[in-house]
Amino acid sequence: MKLLTTDIKKILDREQDTSKFLSPNINKLDGNHLLVYAKRLKQKKKYAEINFAVSTDLINWKKNNLIAIKPESIGYECDGLISPSFIHSQKKNFLFLEAQNKNKSDLILLETKDNLKWYINSKYLRSKENTIFQCPYIFKYKNTFKIFYTQNRNQTYAETLNENFDFTKIEEVMTSTLDNENFCIYSPSIISLDNKYFMFYAAWPDDKSGNINLAVSNDLSNWEKIGKSLIKLNGDIKIVSEPSVISLDNNLFIFFEYKNPTGWDLGFIKISKKSFIKLFYDL
């Protein structure tokens, strides 16, 4: 049993000048749900900026057109900003981002006090010549933060940071080993369920197709992969990627980007927690 593309519910309509909505990141904030995502323009293919939307029910979303984080607005030299990961800590809002360039990508940290003006926080930067750091994902764990990211498309690392974002350790937690991961693995999203941690992550067998894979762990360090993808793709949808999973009541909402004949959009599939556990062990 797999999830079906016919179950995908699209959220948000792209503007006329927009070719892609990418990298959804969903969080609870102030009684609502916050969506942070990337937007690419038709006339500037490498450019990407960060946009925001809010929802009360995870189904109906309203864009916040007052906020857009652009490379020039934060003073960081790059072609585009993608793959946001949001966290509220110490009465501030923070965003971990991937800053893309032609032959390298960096991981950067932004902060804000008013949600309108975002600044670079120099506490966290991962940058190396000819190295691609992809898709940072922050996960609160006890009194620390875990930052997961992929390096050069096929190695996933987890860094442990203290509450002040000071580095304490790094460990490799996953590498590309499956046939459907030959091109890349990236963009983890983790939930705690049934006394275990479940990781949803993007897995591409080649540069023209992608899906979501699953792994399970007891400690966030040692992960057991499930060797099959989550969604059965049809002829119109060849790529489903960059998952962001959030629970509400007895359900999981699995958000992601997906490629369709008109471009790239954001959508979700809703599944009960009980059904997901059954599906996970039946894959």
Side-chain angles (χ1 to χ4, degrees):
M1 174 184 171
K2 292 189 178 185
L3 301 180
L4 304 175
T5 53
T6 52
D7 296 327
I8 296 175
K9 308 297 183 185
K10 176 186 170 184
I11 62 170
L12 302 182
D13 291 321
R14 280 178 278 128
E15 297 86 358
Q16 202 166 30
D17 65 344
T18 302
S19 61
K20 299 178 181 180
F21 282 161
L22 303 171
S23 312
N25 180 247
I26 314 290
N27 290 271
K28 295 177 183 177
L29 184 68
D30 299 331
N32 292 318
H33 294 93
L34 176 70
L35 164 65
V36 192
Y37 62 99
K39 178 174 82 172
R40 291 199 191 275
L41 303 179
K42 293 177 180 177
Q43 300 302 318
K44 299 169 67 176
K45 291 185 178 181
K46 293 181 181 180
Y47 171 84
E49 64 182 49
I50 301 300
N51 286 192
F52 297 79
V54 294
S55 173
T56 58
D57 58 9
L58 291 174
I59 297 171
N60 302 288
W61 292 88
K62 183 178 180 181
K63 298 175 186 174
N64 185 339
N65 295 318
L66 297 177
I67 312 173
I69 304 176
K70 306 176 181 182
E72 60 270 25
S73 70
I74 60 170
Y76 197 85
E77 187 175 344
C78 64
D79 294 328
L81 301 169
I82 64 168
S83 302
S85 186
F86 175 93
I87 189 77
H88 178 79
S89 179
Q90 301 175 4
K91 299 181 180 180
K92 294 181 182 179
N93 292 332
F94 296 89
L95 270 180
F96 288 82
L97 296 171
E98 177 183 339
Q100 281 190 330
N101 280 299
K102 184 177 180 180
N103 295 316
K104 68 188 290 284
S105 286
D106 303 336
L107 302 184
I108 62 174
L109 173 62
L110 305 183
E111 69 171 80
T112 184
K113 293 181 179 179
D114 60 10
N115 292 327
L116 295 175
K117 183 66 176 177
W118 291 79
Y119 302 89
I120 291 178
N121 183 323
S122 59
K123 199 95 180 219
Y124 190 89
L125 172 66
R126 299 295 177 265
S127 179
K128 187 178 180 181
E129 198 64 32
N130 298 317
T131 301
I132 299 172
F133 293 99
Q134 285 180 282
C135 298
Y137 173 71
I138 186 167
F139 187 84
K140 179 73 171 175
Y141 180 64
K142 298 180 180 178
N143 293 319
T144 67
F145 295 110
K146 296 281 189 179
I147 304 290
F148 293 81
Y149 60 84
T150 296
Q151 186 171 326
N152 292 332
R153 296 192 176 94
N154 58 18
Q155 296 170 295
T156 300
Y157 292 91
E159 295 184 9
T160 301
L161 309 180
N162 66 19
E163 290 183 318
N164 295 315
F165 298 134
D166 295 312
F167 173 86
T168 59
K169 72 173 183 177
I170 184 172
E171 52 192 333
E172 184 181 78
V173 295
M174 190 178 292
T175 60
S176 297
T177 56
L178 303 175
D179 288 343
N180 69 356
E181 301 173 345
N182 281 337
F183 183 70
C184 67
I185 56 172
Y186 69 111
S187 190
S189 180
I190 297 169
I191 58 166
S192 176
L193 185 65
D194 201 30
N195 296 314
K196 297 180 183 296
Y197 297 103
F198 292 88
M199 179 191 289
F200 300 68
Y201 64 98
W204 293 41
D206 52 55
D207 63 355
K208 294 180 175 59
S209 58
N211 209 317
I212 296 170
N213 277 10
L214 298 168
V216 64
S217 174
N218 293 316
D219 58 9
L220 294 174
S221 296
N222 301 286
W223 292 89
E224 179 185 353
K225 293 180 182 179
I226 302 302
K228 296 181 181 179
S229 53
L230 178 64
I231 300 174
K232 183 178 180 180
L233 303 180
N234 66 18
D236 288 334
I237 298 178
K238 298 292 187 183
I239 299 174
V240 173
S241 195
E242 295 214 33
S244 180
V245 185
I246 191 168
S247 64
L248 180 63
D249 300 326
N250 294 315
N251 299 299
L252 297 180
F253 287 73
I254 306 168
F255 289 83
F256 42 78
E257 63 185 34
Y258 65 100
K259 185 180 182 181
N260 58 70
T262 67
W264 290 72
D265 287 302
L266 304 180
F268 71 90
I269 294 177
K270 177 183 174 182
I271 183 172
S272 72
K273 294 178 181 178
K274 183 177 179 180
S275 296
F276 170 76
I277 293 296
K278 184 178 187 304
L279 179 152
F280 181 86
Y281 290 109
D282 286 348
L283 279 176

